[in-house]
Amino acid sequence: MSDSAVAYFLTSSSLAIIGFSVHLLLLRSAKQPVYLPLAGCLSAVAVLICQPVVKELAPGLQTYILLLALPALYLIPPCFWLYVQGITSSARWRPERAHLKHFTPAGLGLFIVICALLLPGELRDAMLVEEDISALTSTPDMLRFIVYGLLIITFMMVLGWVVQAGFYVHSVFRRLHSYRTQLRELFASTEAREGRWILWLMLAVGGVWLLTAGILLYGNLVAPVQTDIVIRDLVILIMVWSVAIWGLRQKPGFEEVYQGDKEAQEVLKSITDVKYQRSALNQQLAESIVTKLNHAMEHDRLFLDASLSLPRLARHISRSANHISQTLNETMGVNFFDYVNRYRVNAAKEQLQNTDDTVLDIAMNVGFNAKSSFYTAFKKETGITPNQFRKAS
């Protein structure tokens, strides 16, 4: 099988995954609008990669697909950013007029497309499909001037996309870091909420982005760069599959908060630069909360509940969730996540010393949802792994 045939198969597979995923995302967006940006992101990717399939099945559309590549390129970063913004938001995400500013570059790309569509068809096809720039030599001076202007703007926009993509990748990393901090103020187990797949995807995208940037710069300034189409299309297929499968599985991290948990909403509002500024918590109340917290953990062993959250703990000890959060952070110097996991680690240490249970069984017994999170928490508290602790005991 030739490389072109393999590439065609890989591209077709990517498009099939995108088509199925976008359909499911649009169905879900009726109740959760946060899935709309991800559907837009995948649709833009489809426009960028469908050229080989269109060339075989509908060659008459080839020119139009090539023209749409520029606005599609500029749609991917802001769409993915809005998706990340949505799943990390403490309030239900909805499309807003303010979001339109993110699509200004894509709008400029669409304007260039409209201008290109007004050009003579033969000239447009020669330049885009056949890549024959010499077709300009026989055109009127004014038309040639306009076309060169569009080419220069397009070239600048292609280079500008590198900057745009870098900006949004950086924004996603910052957003996820802040989001993780907020999660740990409310939940004792955050594995299913953190969206770690996005971090790994961003690292992969960052690597591809740097490689693409180098190819674009070298190809436009020095000479065209030949790339292995099979490897390229395989990488695209893996990324498309990853975004589709994890994007469909990922739920907004604070979904239960904005579905009606008012105590959790108050805690989230307080997690700012001036948090707890208006709180009525005094030293006597803080000491009382500390006593109740320790009793709930040491005697009621609430930490064994894998789904334990701050509001649930607040209801158990009949205290305000906001006051508990303030007490943990200001009086005890620890967030809710680390406070609960400290008790879990201590319970695990006892079982590691006194039982022959596997590390995974012990992790589940003491309230962890995953072996990886248990190892991370255990090493943070003790400086060694569970297996090293068991051997040293």
Side-chain angles (χ1 to χ4, degrees), residues 258-273:
Y258 53 70
Q259 284 183 343
D261 199 327
K262 294 183 179 180
E263 287 188 301
Q265 291 173 11
E266 291 178 2
V267 174
L268 280 176
K269 288 179 181 178
S270 71
I271 305 172
T272 63
D273 294 335

Side-chain angles (χ1 to χ4, degrees), residues 87-289:
I87 64 171
T88 59
S89 175
S90 58
R92 186 182 296 275
W93 185 91
R94 296 186 184 281
E96 298 176 1
R97 185 173 297 179
H99 295 153
L100 292 176
K101 63 184 179 183
H102 295 283
F103 301 102
T104 302
L108 179 56
L110 187 59
F111 173 76
I112 294 175
V113 170
I114 295 173
C115 292
L117 289 174
L118 297 176
L119 297 175
E122 294 181 358
L123 175 62
R124 186 174 61 238
D125 292 343
M127 294 179 59
L128 291 174
V129 180
E130 301 172 13
E131 298 182 357
D132 183 13
I133 197 72
S134 63
L136 280 173
T137 57
S138 58
T139 60
D141 292 342
M142 179 59 70
L143 180 59
R144 191 183 310 123
F145 175 79
I146 293 173
V147 172
Y148 278 130
L150 290 175
L151 289 174
I152 292 172
I153 294 174
T154 302
F155 171 71
M156 296 301 296
M157 287 195 68
V158 170
L159 297 182
W161 174 81
V162 177
V163 177
Q164 185 213 36
F167 169 77
Y168 281 108
V169 168
H170 175 70
S171 298
V172 166
F173 274 110
R174 289 188 60 186
R175 178 79 179 193
L176 290 176
H177 176 74
S178 175
Y179 169 64
R180 189 181 182 190
T181 300
Q182 292 179 333
L183 284 177
R184 292 182 172 219
E185 294 288 351
L186 286 176
F187 304 105
S189 299
T190 61
E191 296 83 7
R193 305 172 188 270
E194 287 189 5
R196 289 184 178 272
W197 66 273
I198 298 176
L199 292 175
W200 290 110
L201 180 67
M202 287 295 96
L203 289 174
V205 169
V208 174
W209 169 68
L210 290 174
L211 180 61
T212 303
I215 292 175
L216 285 174
L217 288 172
Y218 189 87
N220 283 280
L221 298 177
V222 182
V225 179
Q226 298 296 325
T227 57
D228 191 312
I229 58 173
V230 173
I231 295 178
R232 180 199 64 192
D233 291 341
L234 180 60
V235 169
I236 291 173
L237 175 60
I238 293 172
M239 287 191 171
V240 165
W241 179 86
S242 300
V243 173
I245 192 70
W246 288 104
L248 288 167
R249 293 177 60 181
Q250 184 71 53
K251 294 181 179 181
F254 294 115
E255 186 174 28
E256 67 187 65
V257 174
Y258 53 70
Q259 284 183 343
D261 199 327
K262 294 183 179 180
E263 287 188 301
Q265 291 173 11
E266 291 178 2
V267 174
L268 280 176
K269 288 179 181 178
S270 71
I271 305 172
T272 63
D273 294 335
V274 291
K275 64 180 179 179
Y276 315 126
Q277 181 175 333
R278 299 180 180 178
S279 172
L281 184 71
N282 54 40
Q283 184 176 356
Q284 182 178 0
L285 180 56
E287 291 175 355
S288 171
I289 291 175

Side-chain angles (χ1 to χ4, degrees), residues 285-296:
L285 180 56
E287 291 175 355
S288 171
I289 291 175
V290 170
T291 302
K292 286 181 174 291
L293 286 174
N294 291 337
H295 185 275

